[in-house]
Coordinates of all heavy atoms in Angstrom, one line a residue:
S2 N -19.2 -46.3 4.5 CA -19.9 -45.4 3.6 C -19.8 -44.0 4.1 O -19.6 -43.7 5.2 CB -21.3 -45.8 3.4 OG -22.1 -45.5 4.5
I3 N -20.0 -43.1 3.1 CA -19.9 -41.6 3.5 C -20.9 -41.2 4.5 O -20.7 -40.5 5.4 CB -19.9 -40.8 2.2 CG1 -18.7 -41.0 1.4 CG2 -20.1 -39.3 2.5 CD1 -18.7 -40.4 0.0
S4 N -22.2 -41.7 4.3 CA -23.3 -41.3 5.2 C -23.0 -41.8 6.6 O -23.3 -41.0 7.6 CB -24.6 -41.9 4.7 OG -24.6 -43.3 4.7
S5 N -22.4 -43.0 6.8 CA -22.2 -43.4 8.2 C -21.0 -42.6 8.8 O -21.1 -42.3 10.0 CB -21.9 -44.9 8.2 OG -20.6 -45.2 7.6
N6 N -20.1 -42.2 8.0 CA -19.0 -41.3 8.5 C -19.6 -40.0 8.9 O -19.2 -39.4 9.9 CB -17.9 -41.2 7.5 CG -17.1 -42.4 7.3 OD1 -17.0 -43.3 8.1 ND2 -16.4 -42.5 6.1
K7 N -20.5 -39.4 8.1 CA -21.1 -38.2 8.4 C -22.0 -38.3 9.7 O -22.0 -37.5 10.6 CB -22.0 -37.7 7.3 CG -22.6 -36.3 7.5 CD -21.5 -35.3 7.5 CE -22.2 -33.9 7.5 NZ -21.3 -32.9 7.9
G8 N -22.7 -39.4 9.8 CA -23.5 -39.7 11.0 C -22.6 -39.8 12.3 O -22.9 -39.3 13.3
D9 N -21.5 -40.5 12.1 CA -20.5 -40.6 13.2 C -20.0 -39.3 13.6 O -19.9 -39.0 14.8 CB -19.4 -41.6 12.9 CG -19.8 -43.0 12.9 OD1 -20.9 -43.4 13.4 OD2 -18.9 -43.8 12.4
E10 N -19.7 -38.5 12.6 CA -19.1 -37.1 12.9 C -20.2 -36.3 13.6 O -19.8 -35.6 14.6 CB -18.7 -36.5 11.6 CG -18.0 -35.2 11.8 CD -16.6 -35.4 12.3 OE1 -16.0 -36.5 12.2 OE2 -16.1 -34.4 13.0
N11 N -21.4 -36.4 13.2 CA -22.5 -35.6 13.9 C -22.7 -36.1 15.3 O -22.9 -35.3 16.2 CB -23.8 -35.7 13.1 CG -23.8 -34.9 11.8 OD1 -23.0 -33.9 11.7 ND2 -24.6 -35.3 10.9
M12 N -22.6 -37.4 15.5 CA -22.8 -37.9 16.8 C -21.6 -37.5 17.7 O -21.8 -37.2 18.9 CB -22.9 -39.5 16.8 CG -23.2 -40.1 18.1 SD -24.7 -39.5 18.8 CE -24.6 -40.3 20.4
N13 N -20.4 -37.5 17.2 CA -19.2 -37.1 17.9 C -19.4 -35.7 18.4 O -19.1 -35.3 19.5 CB -18.0 -37.3 17.1 CG -17.6 -38.7 16.8 OD1 -18.1 -39.6 17.5 ND2 -16.8 -38.9 15.8
K14 N -19.8 -34.8 17.5 CA -20.0 -33.4 17.8 C -21.1 -33.2 18.9 O -20.9 -32.4 19.8 CB -20.3 -32.6 16.6 CG -19.2 -32.4 15.7 CD -19.5 -31.6 14.4 CE -18.4 -31.5 13.5 NZ -18.7 -30.7 12.3
F15 N -22.2 -33.9 18.7 CA -23.3 -33.8 19.7 C -22.9 -34.3 21.0 O -23.1 -33.7 22.1 CB -24.5 -34.6 19.2 CG -25.7 -34.6 20.1 CD1 -26.4 -33.4 20.2 CD2 -26.1 -35.7 20.7 CE1 -27.5 -33.4 21.1 CE2 -27.2 -35.7 21.6 CZ -27.9 -34.5 21.7
A16 N -22.2 -35.4 21.1 CA -21.7 -36.0 22.3 C -20.7 -35.0 23.0 O -20.7 -34.8 24.2 CB -21.1 -37.4 22.1
L17 N -19.8 -34.4 22.2 CA -18.8 -33.5 22.7 C -19.5 -32.3 23.3 O -19.1 -31.8 24.4 CB -17.8 -33.1 21.6 CG -16.6 -32.4 22.0 CD1 -15.8 -33.2 23.1 CD2 -15.7 -32.1 20.8
V18 N -20.5 -31.7 22.6 CA -21.3 -30.6 23.2 C -21.9 -30.9 24.5 O -21.8 -30.2 25.5 CB -22.3 -30.1 22.1 CG1 -23.3 -29.1 22.8 CG2 -21.7 -29.4 21.0
L19 N -22.5 -32.1 24.6 CA -23.2 -32.5 25.9 C -22.1 -32.7 26.9 O -22.3 -32.3 28.1 CB -23.9 -33.8 25.7 CG -25.2 -33.7 24.9 CD1 -25.9 -35.1 24.7 CD2 -26.2 -32.7 25.6
T20 N -21.0 -33.2 26.6 CA -19.9 -33.4 27.6 C -19.3 -32.1 28.1 O -19.1 -31.9 29.3 CB -18.8 -34.3 27.0 OG1 -19.3 -35.5 26.5 CG2 -17.7 -34.6 28.0
I21 N -19.2 -31.1 27.2 CA -18.8 -29.8 27.6 C -19.8 -29.2 28.5 O -19.4 -28.5 29.5 CB -18.5 -28.9 26.3 CG1 -17.3 -29.5 25.6 CG2 -18.3 -27.5 26.7 CD1 -17.1 -28.9 24.2
I22 N -21.1 -29.3 28.2 CA -22.1 -28.8 29.0 C -22.0 -29.4 30.4 O -22.1 -28.7 31.4 CB -23.5 -29.0 28.4 CG1 -23.7 -28.1 27.2 CG2 -24.6 -28.8 29.4 CD1 -24.9 -28.4 26.4
G23 N -21.8 -30.7 30.5 CA -21.7 -31.4 31.7 C -20.4 -30.9 32.5 O -20.5 -30.7 33.7
A24 N -19.4 -30.7 31.8 CA -18.1 -30.2 32.4 C -18.3 -28.8 33.0 O -17.9 -28.5 34.1 CB -17.0 -30.2 31.5
L25 N -19.0 -27.9 32.2 CA -19.3 -26.6 32.7 C -20.2 -26.6 34.0 O -20.0 -25.9 34.9 CB -19.9 -25.7 31.6 CG -19.0 -25.4 30.5 CD1 -19.7 -24.7 29.3 CD2 -17.8 -24.6 30.9
N26 N -21.2 -27.5 33.9 CA -22.1 -27.6 35.1 C -21.3 -28.1 36.3 O -21.5 -27.6 37.4 CB -23.2 -28.6 34.8 CG -24.3 -28.5 35.8 OD1 -24.9 -27.5 36.0 ND2 -24.6 -29.7 36.4
W27 N -20.4 -29.1 36.1 CA -19.6 -29.5 37.3 C -18.7 -28.4 37.8 O -18.4 -28.3 39.0 CB -18.8 -30.8 36.9 CG -19.6 -32.0 37.1 CD1 -20.1 -32.9 36.1 CD2 -20.0 -32.6 38.3 NE1 -20.8 -33.9 36.7 CE2 -20.8 -33.7 38.1 CE3 -19.9 -32.2 39.7 CZ2 -21.4 -34.5 39.1 CZ3 -20.5 -33.0 40.7 CH2 -21.2 -34.1 40.3
G28 N -18.2 -27.6 36.8 CA -17.4 -26.5 37.3 C -18.2 -25.5 38.1 O -17.7 -25.0 39.1
L29 N -19.4 -25.3 37.7 CA -20.3 -24.4 38.6 C -20.5 -25.0 39.9 O -20.6 -24.3 41.0 CB -21.6 -24.1 37.8 CG -21.6 -23.2 36.6 CD1 -22.9 -23.2 35.9 CD2 -21.2 -21.8 37.0
V30 N -20.8 -26.3 40.0 CA -21.0 -27.0 41.2 C -19.7 -26.9 42.1 O -19.8 -26.6 43.3 CB -21.3 -28.5 41.0 CG1 -21.3 -29.3 42.3 CG2 -22.7 -28.6 40.3
G31 N -18.6 -27.1 41.5 CA -17.3 -27.1 42.3 C -17.0 -25.7 42.8 O -16.5 -25.5 43.9
L32 N -17.2 -24.7 41.9 CA -16.8 -23.3 42.3 C -17.8 -22.6 43.1 O -17.5 -21.8 44.1 CB -16.5 -22.5 41.0 CG -15.3 -22.9 40.2 CD1 -15.3 -22.1 38.9 CD2 -14.0 -22.6 41.0
F33 N -19.1 -22.8 42.8 CA -20.1 -22.0 43.4 C -21.2 -22.8 44.1 O -22.2 -22.2 44.6 CB -20.8 -21.1 42.4 CG -19.8 -20.2 41.6 CD1 -19.5 -20.5 40.3 CD2 -19.1 -19.2 42.3 CE1 -18.6 -19.7 39.6 CE2 -18.2 -18.4 41.6 CZ -17.9 -18.7 40.2
K34 N -21.1 -24.1 44.2 CA -22.1 -25.0 44.7 C -23.5 -24.7 44.1 O -24.5 -24.7 44.7 CB -22.2 -24.8 46.2 CG -21.0 -25.2 47.0 CD -21.2 -25.1 48.5 CE -19.9 -25.5 49.2 NZ -20.1 -25.3 50.6
F35 N -23.4 -24.5 42.7 CA -24.6 -24.2 42.0 C -24.8 -25.2 40.8 O -23.9 -25.2 39.9 CB -24.6 -22.7 41.4 CG -25.8 -22.4 40.6 CD1 -27.0 -22.2 41.2 CD2 -25.6 -22.2 39.2 CE1 -28.1 -21.9 40.4 CE2 -26.7 -21.9 38.4 CZ -28.0 -21.7 39.0
D36 N -25.9 -25.9 40.8 CA -26.1 -26.9 39.8 C -27.1 -26.3 38.8 O -28.3 -26.2 39.0 CB -26.7 -28.2 40.4 CG -27.1 -29.2 39.4 OD1 -26.8 -29.1 38.2 OD2 -27.8 -30.2 39.8
L37 N -26.6 -25.8 37.7 CA -27.4 -25.1 36.7 C -28.5 -26.0 36.1 O -29.6 -25.6 35.9 CB -26.5 -24.5 35.6 CG -27.2 -23.8 34.5 CD1 -27.9 -22.5 35.1 CD2 -26.2 -23.4 33.4
V38 N -28.1 -27.3 35.8 CA -29.0 -28.2 35.2 C -30.2 -28.5 36.2 O -31.3 -28.4 35.8 CB -28.4 -29.5 34.8 CG1 -29.4 -30.6 34.4 CG2 -27.4 -29.3 33.6
G39 N -29.8 -28.7 37.4 CA -30.8 -28.9 38.5 C -31.7 -27.7 38.7 O -32.9 -27.8 38.8
W40 N -31.1 -26.5 38.6 CA -31.8 -25.3 38.8 C -32.9 -25.1 37.6 O -34.0 -24.7 37.9 CB -30.9 -24.1 38.8 CG -31.5 -22.8 39.0 CD1 -32.0 -22.3 40.2 CD2 -31.7 -21.8 38.0 NE1 -32.5 -21.0 40.0 CE2 -32.3 -20.7 38.6 CE3 -31.4 -21.7 36.7 CZ2 -32.6 -19.5 37.9 CZ3 -31.7 -20.5 36.0 CH2 -32.3 -19.5 36.6
I41 N -32.4 -25.4 36.4 CA -33.3 -25.2 35.3 C -34.4 -26.2 35.3 O -35.6 -25.9 35.0 CB -32.5 -25.3 33.9 CG1 -31.6 -24.1 33.8 CG2 -33.5 -25.4 32.7 CD1 -30.6 -24.2 32.6
F42 N -34.2 -27.5 35.7 CA -35.1 -28.5 35.5 C -35.7 -29.0 36.8 O -36.2 -30.1 36.9 CB -34.5 -29.7 34.8 CG -34.1 -29.3 33.4 CD1 -32.8 -29.1 33.0 CD2 -35.1 -29.2 32.4 CE1 -32.4 -28.7 31.7 CE2 -34.8 -28.8 31.1 CZ -33.4 -28.6 30.8
G43 N -35.7 -28.2 37.9 CA -36.5 -28.5 39.1 C -35.7 -29.2 40.2 O -36.3 -30.0 40.9
G44 N -34.4 -29.0 40.2 CA -33.7 -29.7 41.3 C -32.9 -30.9 40.9 O -33.3 -31.5 39.9
M45 N -31.9 -31.2 41.6 CA -31.0 -32.3 41.3 C -31.7 -33.7 41.3 O -31.4 -34.6 40.6 CB -29.8 -32.3 42.2 CG -28.7 -33.2 41.9 SD -27.4 -33.1 43.1 CE -26.0 -33.2 42.1
D46 N -32.8 -33.8 42.1 CA -33.5 -35.0 42.3 C -34.7 -35.2 41.3 O -35.3 -36.2 41.3 CB -33.9 -35.2 43.7 CG -32.8 -35.4 44.7 OD1 -31.7 -35.9 44.2 OD2 -32.9 -34.9 45.8
S47 N -35.0 -34.1 40.5 CA -36.1 -34.2 39.6 C -35.8 -35.3 38.5 O -34.7 -35.5 38.2 CB -36.4 -32.9 39.0 OG -35.5 -32.6 37.9
V48 N -36.9 -35.9 38.0 CA -36.7 -36.9 37.0 C -36.0 -36.3 35.8 O -35.2 -37.0 35.2 CB -38.1 -37.5 36.7 CG1 -38.0 -38.5 35.5 CG2 -38.7 -38.2 37.9
V49 N -36.4 -35.1 35.3 CA -35.9 -34.5 34.1 C -34.4 -34.3 34.3 O -33.6 -34.6 33.4 CB -36.6 -33.2 33.8 CG1 -35.9 -32.6 32.6 CG2 -38.1 -33.5 33.5
S50 N -34.0 -33.8 35.5 CA -32.6 -33.5 35.7 C -31.8 -34.8 35.7 O -30.7 -34.9 35.1 CB -32.3 -32.9 37.1 OG -32.8 -31.5 37.1
R51 N -32.3 -35.8 36.3 CA -31.6 -37.1 36.3 C -31.5 -37.7 35.0 O -30.5 -38.3 34.6 CB -32.3 -38.1 37.3 CG -32.2 -37.6 38.8 CD -32.9 -38.5 39.7 NE -32.2 -39.8 39.7 CZ -32.7 -40.9 40.2 NH1 -33.9 -40.9 40.7 NH2 -32.0 -42.0 40.2
I52 N -32.5 -37.6 34.1 CA -32.4 -38.0 32.7 C -31.3 -37.3 32.0 O -30.5 -37.9 31.3 CB -33.8 -37.9 32.0 CG1 -34.8 -38.9 32.6 CG2 -33.7 -38.1 30.5 CD1 -36.2 -38.7 32.2
I53 N -31.3 -36.0 32.2 CA -30.2 -35.2 31.5 C -28.9 -35.6 32.0 O -27.9 -35.7 31.2 CB -30.5 -33.7 31.7 CG1 -31.7 -33.3 30.9 CG2 -29.3 -32.9 31.3 CD1 -32.2 -31.9 31.2
F54 N -28.7 -35.8 33.3 CA -27.4 -36.3 33.8 C -27.0 -37.6 33.2 O -25.8 -37.8 32.9 CB -27.5 -36.4 35.4 CG -27.6 -35.1 36.1 CD1 -28.4 -35.1 37.2 CD2 -27.0 -34.0 35.7 CE1 -28.5 -33.9 37.9 CE2 -27.1 -32.8 36.4 CZ -27.9 -32.7 37.5
V55 N -28.0 -38.5 33.0 CA -27.7 -39.8 32.4 C -27.3 -39.6 30.9 O -26.3 -40.2 30.4 CB -28.8 -40.8 32.5 CG1 -28.6 -42.0 31.7 CG2 -29.0 -41.2 34.0
I56 N -28.0 -38.8 30.2 CA -27.7 -38.5 28.8 C -26.3 -37.9 28.7 O -25.5 -38.3 27.8 CB -28.7 -37.6 28.2 CG1 -30.0 -38.3 28.0 CG2 -28.3 -37.1 26.8 CD1 -31.2 -37.5 27.6
V57 N -25.9 -37.0 29.6 CA -24.6 -36.4 29.6 C -23.5 -37.4 29.9 O -22.5 -37.5 29.3 CB -24.5 -35.2 30.5 CG1 -23.1 -34.7 30.7 CG2 -25.4 -34.0 30.0
A58 N -23.8 -38.3 30.8 CA -22.9 -39.4 31.1 C -22.7 -40.3 29.9 O -21.5 -40.7 29.6 CB -23.4 -40.2 32.3
L59 N -23.8 -40.7 29.2 CA -23.6 -41.5 28.0 C -22.8 -40.8 26.9 O -22.0 -41.4 26.2 CB -25.0 -41.9 27.5 CG -25.8 -42.8 28.4 CD1 -27.3 -43.0 27.8 CD2 -25.2 -44.2 28.5
A60 N -23.0 -39.5 26.8 CA -22.2 -38.7 25.9 C -20.7 -38.8 26.2 O -19.9 -38.9 25.4 CB -22.7 -37.2 25.8
G61 N -20.4 -38.7 27.5 CA -19.0 -38.8 28.0 C -18.5 -40.1 27.6 O -17.3 -40.2 27.2
I62 N -19.3 -41.2 27.8 CA -18.8 -42.5 27.5 C -18.6 -42.6 26.0 O -17.6 -43.2 25.5 CB -19.8 -43.6 27.9 CG1 -19.8 -43.6 29.5 CG2 -19.5 -45.0 27.3 CD1 -21.0 -44.4 30.1
W63 N -19.5 -42.0 25.2 CA -19.3 -42.0 23.7 C -18.0 -41.3 23.3 O -17.3 -41.8 22.4 CB -20.5 -41.3 23.0 CG -20.3 -41.2 21.5 CD1 -19.7 -40.2 20.9 CD2 -20.8 -42.2 20.6 NE1 -19.8 -40.5 19.5 CE2 -20.4 -41.7 19.3 CE3 -21.5 -43.4 20.7 CZ2 -20.7 -42.4 18.1 CZ3 -21.8 -44.0 19.5 CH2 -21.4 -43.5 18.2
C64 N -17.7 -40.3 24.0 CA -16.5 -39.5 23.7 C -15.2 -40.2 24.0 O -14.1 -39.8 23.5 CB -16.5 -38.1 24.5 SG -17.6 -37.0 23.8
I65 N -15.2 -41.3 24.7 CA -14.0 -42.1 24.9 C -13.5 -42.6 23.6 O -12.3 -42.6 23.4 CB -14.3 -43.3 25.8 CG1 -14.6 -42.9 27.2 CG2 -13.2 -44.3 25.8 CD1 -15.2 -43.9 28.2
N66 N -14.4 -42.9 22.6 CA -13.9 -43.3 21.3 C -13.1 -42.2 20.6 O -12.2 -42.5 19.7 CB -15.0 -43.8 20.4 CG -15.8 -42.8 19.7 OD1 -15.2 -42.3 18.7 ND2 -17.0 -42.4 20.1
L67 N -13.3 -41.0 20.9 CA -12.6 -39.9 20.3 C -11.1 -39.9 20.7 O -10.2 -39.4 20.0 CB -13.2 -38.5 20.7 CG -14.6 -38.3 20.2 CD1 -15.1 -37.0 20.7 CD2 -14.8 -38.5 18.7
L68 N -10.8 -40.5 21.8 CA -9.4 -40.6 22.3 C -8.6 -41.5 21.3 O -7.3 -41.3 21.2 CB -9.3 -41.2 23.7 CG -9.8 -40.4 24.8 CD1 -9.9 -41.2 26.1 CD2 -8.9 -39.1 25.0
F69 N -9.2 -42.4 20.6 CA -8.5 -43.4 19.8 C -8.6 -43.1 18.3 O -8.1 -43.8 17.5 CB -9.1 -44.8 20.1 CG -9.0 -45.1 21.6 CD1 -10.1 -45.0 22.4 CD2 -7.7 -45.5 22.1 CE1 -10.0 -45.3 23.7 CE2 -7.6 -45.8 23.4 CZ -8.7 -45.7 24.3
K70 N -9.2 -41.9 18.0 CA -9.3 -41.5 16.6 C -8.1 -40.6 16.2 O -7.8 -39.7 17.0 CB -10.6 -40.8 16.3 CG -11.8 -41.8 16.3 CD -13.0 -41.1 15.7 CE -14.1 -42.1 15.6 NZ -15.2 -41.6 14.8
P71 N -7.5 -40.8 15.1 CA -6.4 -39.8 14.7 C -7.0 -38.5 14.4 O -8.1 -38.3 14.0 CB -5.8 -40.5 13.5 CG -6.8 -41.5 13.0 CD -7.7 -41.8 14.2
L72 N -6.2 -37.4 14.6 CA -6.6 -36.1 14.3 C -5.8 -35.5 13.1 O -4.7 -36.0 12.8 CB -6.3 -35.2 15.6 CG -7.0 -35.6 16.8 CD1 -6.5 -34.7 18.0 CD2 -8.5 -35.4 16.7
G73 N -6.3 -34.5 12.5 CA -5.6 -33.8 11.5 C -5.5 -34.6 10.2 O -6.3 -35.4 9.8
P74 N -4.3 -34.4 9.5 CA -4.1 -35.0 8.2 C -4.1 -36.6 8.2 O -4.5 -37.2 7.3 CB -2.7 -34.5 7.8 CG -2.4 -33.4 8.7 CD -3.3 -33.5 9.9
E75 N -3.7 -37.2 9.3 CA -3.7 -38.6 9.4 C -5.1 -39.2 9.3 O -5.3 -40.2 8.7 CB -3.1 -39.1 10.8 CG -1.6 -38.7 11.0 CD -1.6 -37.3 11.7 OE1 -2.5 -36.9 12.3 OE2 -0.5 -36.6 11.5
R76 N -6.0 -38.5 9.9 CA -7.4 -38.9 9.9 C -7.9 -38.8 8.5 O -8.6 -39.7 8.0 CB -8.3 -38.1 10.8 CG -9.7 -38.5 10.8 CD -10.4 -37.7 11.9 NE -11.8 -38.1 11.8 CZ -12.8 -37.4 12.3 NH1 -12.5 -36.3 13.0 NH2 -14.0 -37.8 12.2
H77 N -7.6 -37.8 7.8 CA -8.1 -37.6 6.4 C -7.5 -38.7 5.5 O -8.3 -39.3 4.7 CB -7.7 -36.2 5.9 CG -8.2 -36.0 4.5 ND1 -9.5 -35.8 4.1 CD2 -7.5 -35.8 3.3 CE1 -9.6 -35.6 2.8 NE2 -8.4 -35.6 2.3
S78 N -6.2 -39.0 5.6 CA -5.6 -40.0 4.8 C -6.2 -41.4 5.1 O -6.4 -42.2 4.2 CB -4.1 -40.0 4.9 OG -3.7 -40.3 6.2
E79 N -6.5 -41.6 6.4 CA -7.1 -42.9 6.8 C -8.5 -43.0 6.2 O -8.9 -44.1 5.7 CB -7.2 -42.9 8.3 CG -7.6 -44.3 8.8 CD -7.6 -44.3 10.4 OE1 -6.5 -44.2 10.9 OE2 -8.7 -44.3 11.0
E80 N -9.3 -42.0 6.1 CA -10.6 -42.0 5.5 C -10.5 -42.3 4.0 O -11.4 -42.9 3.4 CB -11.4 -40.8 5.8 CG -11.9 -40.7 7.2 CD -12.6 -39.4 7.5 OE1 -12.7 -38.5 6.6 OE2 -13.0 -39.2 8.7
L81 N -9.5 -41.7 3.3 CA -9.3 -42.0 1.9 C -9.0 -43.4 1.6 O -9.3 -43.9 0.5 CB -8.2 -41.1 1.4 CG -8.5 -39.6 1.3 CD1 -7.3 -38.8 0.9 CD2 -9.7 -39.3 0.4
K82 N -8.4 -44.1 2.5 CA -8.1 -45.5 2.3 C -9.3 -46.4 2.3 O -9.2 -47.5 1.8 CB -7.1 -46.0 3.4 CG -5.7 -45.4 3.3 CD -4.9 -45.9 4.4 CE -3.5 -45.1 4.5 NZ -2.7 -45.5 5.6
R83 N -10.4 -46.0 2.9 CA -11.6 -46.8 3.0 C -12.3 -47.1 1.7 O -12.3 -46.4 0.8 CB -12.6 -46.2 3.9 CG -12.1 -46.2 5.3 CD -13.2 -45.6 6.2 NE -12.6 -45.4 7.5 CZ -13.2 -44.9 8.5 NH1 -14.5 -44.5 8.4 NH2 -12.7 -44.7 9.7

């Protein structure tokens, strides 16, 4: 259905944003030994930071499905076949 496709699309975008945030945070850790998420939420060992790290990890796992989805016109034609 159209609504589930829209829901999937929204989840894909949300997961991608979280994965990008995680990648940027890891870049800061690698380049400057600075954990922005930990700094904002009370240290790397704080419960809130750990929850955010887990949510970002789950978003990364969700994004694995994006590797197997067609991009561009092929995707549009595939959706029209449904």
